[in-house]
Amino acid sequence: MEQPNLAMIPSGVKATKVYSIMPESGVGDFTFARSSTAYRINKNGLWETSASNLPRLHYDLTNGNPDSCPCLLLEPASTNILRYSETFSSWGQTRSAITSNSLTSPDGTVNASKMADDGSTGTDTSQRFLSVTVEEDEDYHFSVFAKKGSMDFIALRTGDFSDGVGIGETFFNLATGTVGLTYVNHTASIEKYPNEWYRCIIKFTSGTDLNGTLLIRQASANGTSTVPLDGNSFVYLWGAQFEKDANIGAASSYIKSDSGSQTTRSNDVCDGAGDASTFNSEQGILFLEFAQFASNPFGTKFLSISDGSVNNRILYQLRTDGYKFTIVTGGVNQANISKTTNVTDVTKFNKYAVFYKENDVRVYANGIQTGTDTSATMPSDLNELAFDRGTGAQRAVGKFKDLRYYDTEGMTDTEINNLLTQLTK
């Protein structure tokens, strides 16, 4: 296979820098910034803190097991509105008792809490809750890491929102790792982690009542949020999070917020790879392998090779339907090739590539040619590869496993097609 001019396959980072394996001169390295700490999943599948300005090499999980190779995790800013993400003894309670530091949590330390019933008589709810204030007509994600104890189920409930959009509960089976009975105004999901932990997530859209309550309940069965109050009903909890959607359509990475106030994770900024000698403005291939956070992200996000402006660019546009490649020359769109086939789930890692040349633009996805354009003129003065639209705005977010650029000058058409197929299959 031909050697790329630039290849960023996430493996080496330091503060303010993401290293590319090619070119060896370092001109292909990316600058990086994030003004806060942030969490990533390490090679053992555990949540781990990354210092400010340190890029996150994140090991995505498949059925609870970490991938063998990391990806570069890029997220927008988000705030955990909850004031106590791990200290559940500081939450309000109804017929429940918390024993702190009872079990090893998803961060690998013994800091998970045991939530048990309070040992009173009969059968009733056993829960922890916090009051929250929301903004009108916004999407919110409420999540918690949970592990079965004597009870196999928990329920996440939104309550006290008098307009009804957020009053109800959704059930999660911690024995099977499945979503149970789901409240009509919730969208629910569950993620498997090592050691039989699960992240249970609900999304709801706020209405006109801006004050409500978030509740975590033990549940004796799917649809039954009551348990025997005999002192023997319990589950384990760690890492609760409540956030307004960060324009990614999903709950974001864990944000520890346990000091009595809300905590914000800053956005990841990754820019500045390459120079004029790296890129051929007349022809080349841009390849990337990455996964989106959800199939319905908000707003448009870009990755681009550009001249540092909106006038001359090779654009990859993240979209609900998967992708769109655009070439802009002198401020005028020359090619717009959207997804047509061969990407069934944008939240999985997919491989995309675009070849550009005068009157010859070809797009490939997962080994198949999916679009062409035969009338495009080429941009000029391309000198930077960045996770944005060329001006620092509308930054790409997601999980990036591979990013390469090839100068195809001197290659035959057959060699170019073979390279496009090999890269994306």
Side-chain angles (χ1 to χ4, degrees):
M1 186 181 291
E2 294 288 328
Q3 292 294 312
N5 286 39
L6 187 152
M8 192 280 289
I9 302 172
S11 56
V13 298
K14 72 171 185 178
T16 74
K17 189 72 67 177
V18 177
Y19 292 107
S20 292
I21 62 173
M22 295 183 72
E24 294 182 358
S25 66
V27 73
D29 298 340
F30 290 83
T31 59
F32 181 85
R34 186 188 59 251
S35 60
S36 74
T37 61
Y39 275 77
R40 63 147 188 166
I41 298 175
N42 66 20
K43 64 181 180 180
N44 297 315
L46 301 174
W47 285 107
E48 177 180 276
T49 304
S50 294
S52 59
N53 291 324
L54 182 65
R56 287 179 286 172
L57 295 185
H58 177 86
Y59 289 78
D60 210 42
L61 298 177
T62 302
N63 196 30
N65 299 310
D67 290 349
S68 58
C69 297
C71 58
L72 178 65
L73 179 62
L74 298 178
E75 293 181 295
S78 188
T79 298
N80 189 350
I81 297 169
L82 302 180
R83 296 172 290 114
Y84 299 102
S85 62
E86 298 177 16
T87 307
F88 294 96
S89 57
S90 295
W91 292 44
Q93 65 88 19
T94 309
R95 292 173 290 275
S96 74
I98 291 291
T99 304
S100 301
N101 304 324
S102 294
L103 194 71
T104 302
S105 78
D107 74 359
T109 60
V110 182
N111 61 356
S113 295
K114 177 181 178 182
M115 182 175 77
D117 74 278
D118 66 355
S120 54
T121 60
T123 299
D124 211 328
T125 53
S126 175
Q127 62 190 17
R128 291 276 149 167
F129 58 85
L130 282 177
S131 298
V132 294
T133 300
V134 298
E135 299 174 23
E136 185 174 349
D137 195 28
E138 295 283 355
D139 287 343
Y140 285 85
H141 299 273
F142 176 35
S143 63
V144 67
F145 292 86
K147 182 174 180 175
K148 73 180 293 296
S150 63
M151 296 291 106
D152 287 349
F153 290 85
I154 66 164
L156 297 186
R157 179 178 176 84
T158 48
D160 299 331
F161 293 95
S162 61
D163 56 12
V165 297
I167 303 176
E169 58 191 0
T170 293
F171 292 80
F172 299 87
N173 188 329
L174 303 177
T176 62
T178 55
V179 176
L181 187 66
T182 302
Y183 175 57
V184 64
N185 287 325
H186 291 168
T187 301
S189 59
I190 190 168
E191 299 172 352
K192 186 176 182 180
Y193 284 77
N195 303 316
E196 299 181 320
W197 281 95
Y198 293 93
R199 192 182 194 186
C200 305
I201 306 166
I202 59 172
K203 183 184 81 171
F204 75 99
T205 303
S206 59
T208 57
D209 183 356
L210 307 184
N211 298 292
T213 306
L214 304 176
L215 304 97
I216 305 171
R217 289 178 166 177
Q218 296 192 70
S220 57
N222 186 22
T224 305
S225 58
T226 58
V227 295
L229 302 179
D230 57 6
N232 296 314
S233 302
F234 68 93
V235 294
Y236 295 102
L237 304 175
W238 181 80
Q241 189 156 307
F242 184 59
E243 58 185 324
K244 187 171 73 170
D245 194 291
N247 291 336
I248 62 174
S252 71
S253 63
Y254 178 54
I255 303 169
K256 183 174 180 177
S257 181
D258 208 46
S259 60
S261 59
Q262 300 177 10
T263 301
T264 297
R265 179 196 63 242
S266 301
N267 64 314
D268 298 301
V269 178
C270 192
D271 282 330
D275 59 16
S277 66
T278 308
F279 308 106
N280 186 335
S281 296
E282 295 181 354
Q283 62 174 284
I285 292 174
L286 174 63
F287 163 77
L288 67 156
E289 180 182 3
F290 93 111
Q292 295 182 193
F293 295 115
S295 59
N296 57 336
F298 299 93
T300 303
K301 314 292 192 300
F302 293 101
L303 183 147
S304 68
I305 305 171
S306 76
D307 65 352
S309 76
V310 297
N311 294 322
N312 293 284
R313 300 177 290 169
I314 309 292
L315 283 170
Y316 174 83
Q317 180 177 336
L318 287 66
R319 294 160 54 96
T320 299
D321 60 0
Y323 59 87
K324 179 180 180 180
F325 282 101
T326 302
I327 294 174
V328 182
T329 302
V332 179
N333 285 8
Q334 298 294 315
N336 288 287
I337 302 176
S338 298
K339 168 195 170 182
T340 55
T341 58
N342 216 40
V343 177
T344 58
D345 186 350
V346 296
T347 68
K348 305 298 184 184
F349 284 98
N350 292 284
K351 298 178 180 180
Y352 311 91
V354 59
F355 165 72
Y356 64 92
K357 186 180 179 181
E358 191 87 5
N359 301 324
D360 184 7
V361 179
R362 303 170 221 168
V363 171
Y364 278 65
N366 298 328
I368 302 296
Q369 183 173 330
T370 61
T372 61
D373 186 286
T374 59
S375 61
T377 59
M378 294 300 102
S380 60
D381 301 321
L382 300 180
N383 59 26
E384 182 185 60
L385 175 58
F387 291 86
D388 59 38
R389 67 192 296 246
T391 60
Q394 294 171 280
R395 296 186 177 278
V397 296
K399 295 173 281 189
F400 294 83
K401 268 193 175 177
D402 199 342
L403 177 60
R404 305 185 202 181
Y405 171 78
Y406 291 82
D407 182 351
T408 57
E409 187 171 1
M411 294 175 60
T412 67
D413 199 55
T414 298
E415 289 171 336
I416 290 169
N417 281 334
N418 287 341
L419 179 57
L420 288 164
T421 302
Q422 291 171 11
L423 284 170
T424 59
K425 70 180 179 181

